Amino acid sequence: MTSSLPPYFSRRLFAIFACVVFVTVEGAANSTYGANLNKAPVLISDSTSTRAIALESITLKAEPFPLTASVKFGSDARTRICVFAQNLELLAGEGPTAFSADVQDAAGKLYSLKVEYSGPVAGFPGITMLIVRLADDLGDAGDVLLRLNLHGVSSNRVRIAIGHVGGGPANDPNSLPTPITGDPTIADPVATPNYSSPSFAEGADGIRFLEQATWGPTYSPVGGELARVRSMGYANWINDQFNQPPLFAATQSNYPTPDNYPTDVGTGCPTGSPATCGRDHYTMYPLQIQFFQNALTRQDQLRQRVAFALHQLIPVSGADLNNQPAWVAPTLQVLDRNAFGNFRQILKDVTLNAGMGEYLNMRGNSKVSPNENYAREVMQLFSVGVDLLNQDGTPVLDAQGNHVPTYSQADITNFARVFTGWNINQKVWVVDGTTPVPNYTDPMVLVNNFNGTYDVGQKTVLNGMILPACANCTTLANAQAYKNNELNLAIDNLFNHQNTGPYLCTALIHNLVTSNPSPAYVGRCSAAFANNGSAVRGDMKAVIKAILLDIEARGDVKNAPAYGHLREPVLFATDLLRRFNGTSDGNISATGTRQGLIVDMGQNLFNPPTVFSYYPADLGLPGTNLLGPEFGILDTSTTYKRANFVNTLFMVGIPVSLPDRPSGTQVNYSSYQAILTGGGTPQNLVDALDNDMMHNTMSSSMKSSIVSTITAITNANATTQAQQRTQTAIYLIATSSQYQVER
């Protein structure tokens, strides 16, 4: 923790706290660092109520706190308040960026408060002082309830007065005073988690881990993937995943290489063609069913999750690529092949990918009129983002407090000039031995018309890096050597930019763990991107480990209000199928042939509607300063369709319908039904589902409601009654917000 308070402040605070400590010390509460990483911070209150020990940060006056500081420094006059906490287990060097805080007013509205300082109280290292800044939109609210969050875990809530004393929300149920406990002269231990031990996976966090690192936990046969991770431990399981082979060795990918077909479906599927010709060559159907078959059955789960996260960061869309799987599959292969490789290689391979060249107009790009589309998106979306970032992902601010742009229009123009000269490989691709068609399988190549196409002049790119003009581009060989070298320099420019690590880390954390990570979490991932421990930058294995083995990712319970993320439709579907031993031919559709149930829920797999992917990565939740990207495809209609999907899966099933659904899709909940037929109670059933579906985080009110609902279901046939109760319990859990927001 950092400490940079002026001496007069420290002396005065010491005197005040000396009085507080010796009046309110009660009992001993020293603890050790637990394998479940579940230790919650404790905000200190007085000894007889939940009212916080709190002071205005400059005057050290007690509440009520004014909205603007009694003594103003600089242009930001918003009041800062000192509060005090115990029971913290910070990583070495962690400071205020590890924390978040919020208050709730009488109307139930939450306001986020920025934690600007954290440090031990002089003479009392077991007590941490934190300074929080009042939110701009928080008015004269009277009493509010304040909470502190650390590593995804919330503290108790204590009462402070803003503007005036009184009113405010009722105390939380079962809340008690939280005066200082134990010996405040003994510092809290430094957190030193070691994930090599399987003990970390023994509790609920083993299930949480598989929610983040796979398409969903499995419990059978013989314990499924959960048993494997609990026997191996997290670190060993991840290393084992790094060594799991993909399905197709030739492309190091889980996707085959489809044949290129004519751009016109009438030519590609003339009269007399098989009935499935259009489906297999002019829709995403083959890739979609391959995706779901991979997700449900393949062992290399971690590669699949990371590759899909990269697809959402660096998308192409079949809808814009003539609906041809042959144009989309090579991009998916790039992401599979490099998911455990190096991010620089991803940028290079994606840049020369023929499908991407078509999608963002780089193919055929000429110096006569360079297209800026790919140049813009490779910066804005694929590598550095629009705002200059600190290494913890927070924006760099200028002297006026404004965000600093990462790039300018001149940068876009110059990158577009770099990306001139490439087009699809002219190697002839022949269908049925007779019909030549465009080649979207191989990477793009430099065309032969170098004088009319290549831009070989000097260019200035990010951070003022100069790409020199070609000195000897008088022959095709020299010009191509120059352009290839220039492209490598441009890729290096993007790859080595200060933003690339935090930008990539934030995107992957959003997709795998939580939409609102602390800056400290992002910073640790960024450090791994910058150096994998062997002076290698961009090592995806190091980044993945940093994300999944971070203290903010791990733990049996994560109850901070901003923690977690909504399960997007694809993840929602695969998670339920894997948890309930689902079997499927890969076509998740009840009536049509094009993944209808997933599309209905708002996610048309491999057909994202824009280059911003299936939903905006920076989507904010209304009325908050929080991000909730997946909520971009959640509305009244898709919420209903989610419930319909669960009903179809557990009440009806997806039947066989040849040739599009040769085996259909079914789940198996017999082990849960057996709880009831074996003499168990509805409470026993819901407890088991709470453990396996929600790792024991179901609220007591939700559990009570579900138990009451299924108890009311009666049938003269005991087996039918057990089935109906089991189906209903699963349906109620799967359609609940508590399940659909993965935490």
Side-chain angles (χ1 to χ4, degrees), residues 162-401:
I162 308 299
H164 68 278
V165 177
N171 283 338
D172 293 326
N174 304 315
S175 61
L176 297 170
T178 50
I180 296 170
T181 58
D183 185 348
T185 64
I186 299 176
D188 284 322
V190 174
T192 55
N194 179 359
Y195 295 102
S196 61
S197 170
S199 64
F200 283 93
E202 289 176 358
D205 190 48
I207 300 174
R208 291 188 63 255
F209 175 82
L210 290 176
E211 290 178 334
Q212 297 163 356
T214 74
W215 289 113
T218 56
Y219 305 110
S220 62
V222 195
E225 200 63 29
L226 182 61
R228 288 188 76 245
V229 78
R230 284 176 170 168
S231 67
M232 300 173 71
Y234 297 140
N236 289 337
W237 184 90
I238 290 174
N239 288 332
D240 179 71
Q241 285 288 298
F242 289 157
N243 293 318
Q244 291 292 332
L247 182 58
F248 300 99
T251 58
Q252 287 299 292
S253 167
N254 284 310
Y255 295 94
T257 299
D259 286 337
N260 286 273
Y261 260 61
T263 56
D264 174 63
V265 67
T267 304
C269 296
T271 302
S273 297
T276 56
C277 180
R279 180 200 70 179
D280 291 344
H281 300 293
Y282 294 94
T283 77
M284 292 299 102
Y285 175 84
L287 300 181
Q288 291 168 337
I289 63 169
Q290 187 71 61
F291 172 90
F292 281 103
Q293 289 170 358
N294 293 340
L296 298 184
T297 65
R298 295 290 302 164
Q299 183 60 40
D300 64 333
Q301 289 283 300
L302 183 58
R303 175 188 287 105
Q304 293 182 51
R305 279 301 304 272
V306 173
F308 191 68
L310 291 168
H311 161 65
Q312 292 180 294
L313 178 69
I314 307 174
V316 295
S317 176
D320 294 286
L321 292 179
N322 206 38
N323 289 312
Q324 290 190 254
W327 296 21
V328 174
T331 311
L332 303 179
Q333 293 170 352
V334 164
L335 302 179
D336 266 3
R337 187 164 58 246
N338 296 299
F340 299 153
N342 194 285
F343 189 66
R344 187 196 183 281
Q345 193 65 47
I346 293 174
L347 289 177
K348 176 72 176 292
D349 288 357
V350 164
T351 299
L352 295 181
N353 176 263
M356 181 63 76
E358 182 77 31
Y359 183 52
L360 292 180
N361 313 117
M362 180 182 153
R363 94 166 184 90
N365 203 8
S366 170
K367 70 178 182 180
V368 176
S369 180
N371 189 294
E372 296 181 347
N373 202 6
Y374 184 72
R376 180 181 297 104
E377 305 308 351
V378 75
M379 289 189 287
Q380 179 182 359
L381 299 176
F382 302 171
S383 60
V384 296
V386 296
D387 294 325
L388 203 61
L389 300 176
N390 297 303
Q391 289 306 288
D392 63 5
T394 56
V396 172
L397 303 178
D398 63 18
Q400 289 71 46

Side-chain angles (χ1 to χ4, degrees), residues 644-689:
N644 185 53
F645 168 75
V646 177
N647 180 73
T648 300
L649 198 59
F650 290 94
M651 307 296 189
V652 180
I654 299 176
V656 173
S657 178
L658 296 174
D660 295 320
R661 294 196 306 270
S663 58
T665 299
Q666 302 293 328
V667 291
N668 186 335
Y669 47 82
S670 59
S671 62
Y672 298 97
Q673 184 174 327
I675 294 173
L676 299 179
T677 57
T681 66
Q683 182 72 55
N684 298 146
L685 170 64
V686 177
D687 285 344
L689 290 170

